[in-house]
Amino acid sequence: MKASAFAYARATSLENALELLTAHGEKAKVLSGGQSLLPAMNLRLIAPEFVVDIGDLLELHGVAVHGDVLTIGALTRHADLLGSPEIASHAPLLREAVAHVAHPAIRNRGTIGGSLAQADPASELPACMLTLGATIVARGPGGERRIAAHEFFTGIFETALLPQELLVAVELPMPAKDATHFFHEFSRRHGDYAIVGLAAQARVKNDRFADLRLGYFAIGDRPLLASSASKLVGVVITSAVLSEACSALGAELAPLEDQQATPAMRRHLAKVLLTRCVSSLLARSDLGAGASA
Ligand code: FAD
């Protein structure tokens, strides 16, 4: 199928993009890498009357460190994240997750801003944003606002962005020097959307978690920062403690049913991931902080 007829403009500046979005309101859609927008238009799942291409806005590209904040421009492509030394040093969880997003051809065009604005609950990057405590920077006609990642994702393909706003950047706090991470997703093939996935970051001291953040994806209508992680912090991890945390996790999840899995299967897989995550992070701490899986 082909997309319905639409008008197109290539924004010449950030201000120009915002003017176009304000003028066309809900009838307009932003085009970044087009890896989600164009398939949806071609399948006629959506039919925007106006497409605002922001690809020329160089100020939205790139990764930079400012003090203790890592800033990633919205138009930074998945492939750029994979090749960035700053991401490798300061956000290794994100680097590992990006390698699971689709395939090289899509990673060469798709952008972090597009992935977050798309808010597919099965996407890897939104869950990483929760785990890493990201702030999403949006720019609209009234200026800039910062939205905590846990308030940004509001439902399936829904975010806190307004139609006339652009996602311009993501800010990540620098992780603690002794932070370690775990990433795993169950999917039919590498590069497919996950059936269930977990992006976790932790600090381990004396065989106990000093901090543990568990970002699940493909588990409900949006990514979830599991509060059951608190059951594992500051205590000796025994099988009873782990079992209690798994039960608490099962209770807080609201998995969806689709062609890939039933809710019961997703709950089960989420608990399997939690168990693997805990043993992997604790085993790594025995090898010394910073060791990778
Ligand atoms: P676009 O397609 O350009 O835009 C996506 C949406 O976000 C649109 O609604 C657009 O209007 C809006 N938007 C884009 N940029 C902005 C902005 N700066 N501000 C406000 N709104 C904006 N994704 C995964 O996460 N994991 C996968 O495993 C995966 N597998 C895929 C497999 C295939 C075959 C395909 C085609 C896609 C797959 N994707 C996957 C989706 C894709 O990788 C991402 O969703 C995509 O990279 C989004 O980025 P984009 O720049 O292409 O966004």
Side-chain angles (χ1 to χ4, degrees):
M1 282 174 78
K2 292 278 177 221
S4 309
F6 60 92
Y8 168 93
R10 198 159 171 89
T12 51
S13 66
L14 196 47
E15 288 65 34
N16 179 227
L18 294 175
E19 279 163 18
L20 291 167
L21 288 176
T22 303
H24 295 276
E26 295 195 355
K27 294 178 181 160
K29 275 282 183 192
V30 177
L31 173 66
S32 285
Q35 299 305 297
S36 293
L37 183 68
L38 296 184
M41 286 171 65
N42 286 340
L43 290 169
R44 302 211 175 184
L45 299 173
I46 54 170
E49 290 179 14
F50 201 92
V51 170
V52 180
D53 184 346
I54 60 169
D56 278 350
L57 307 187
L58 294 180
E59 65 265 50
L60 301 188
H61 287 261
V63 180
V65 177
H66 301 291
D68 55 1
V69 175
L70 182 67
T71 303
I72 308 172
L75 283 178
T76 308
R77 293 182 174 155
H78 303 319
D80 298 330
L81 294 174
L82 278 175
S84 158
E86 290 88 356
I87 297 290
S89 301
H90 305 302
L93 169 66
L94 186 57
R95 189 183 188 285
E96 195 168 338
V98 171
H100 291 262
V101 174
H103 311 288
I106 291 160
R107 294 199 291 266
N108 284 339
R109 298 293 313 170
T111 65
I112 187 167
S115 177
L116 301 181
Q118 179 70 8
D120 187 322
S123 277
E124 291 83 359
L125 304 193
C128 289
M129 296 301 112
L130 292 184
T131 301
L132 297 174
T135 300
I136 313 297
V137 186
R139 187 83 70 86
E144 200 163 270
R145 68 183 179 117
R146 289 177 154 67
I147 309 161
H150 67 270
E151 292 175 345
F152 183 76
F153 303 102
T154 53
I156 301 179
F157 304 126
E158 283 179 11
T159 70
L161 278 180
L162 301 172
Q164 65 274 28
E165 278 183 321
L166 268 181
L167 193 164
V168 292
V170 171
E171 294 175 345
L172 300 178
M174 290 287 179
K177 287 207 168 18
D178 57 349
T180 59
H181 69 274
F182 170 92
F183 182 90
H184 192 80
E185 68 179 40
F186 291 112
S187 59
R188 290 187 188 276
R189 295 166 304 187
H190 183 88
D192 281 5
Y193 277 106
I195 300 170
V196 177
L198 173 59
Q201 183 166 279
R203 285 189 304 117
V204 180
K205 276 202 177 120
N206 303 325
D207 292 330
R208 296 178 190 214
F209 287 108
D211 185 31
L212 177 63
R213 292 172 71 87
L214 303 172
Y216 276 94
F217 53 100
I219 195 73
D221 71 349
R222 67 195 81 175
L224 173 89
L225 192 62
S227 56
S228 38
S230 64
K231 303 244 173 238
L232 297 163
V233 174
V235 295
V236 176
I237 305 295
T238 61
S239 53
V241 166
L242 189 53
S243 165
E244 198 189 322
C246 281
S247 300
L249 176 68
E252 73 173 305
L253 298 178
L256 300 178
E257 170 134 27
D258 61 18
Q259 289 169 327
Q260 298 221 73
T262 61
M265 181 177 165
R266 285 204 155 89
R267 250 197 201 92
H268 170 73
L269 292 178
K271 292 177 187 178
V272 171
L273 283 175
L274 179 56
T275 306
R276 286 189 191 175
C277 169
V278 166
S279 65
S280 163
L281 290 173
L282 291 179
R284 244 182 285 169
S285 80
D286 290 341
L287 300 173
S292 60

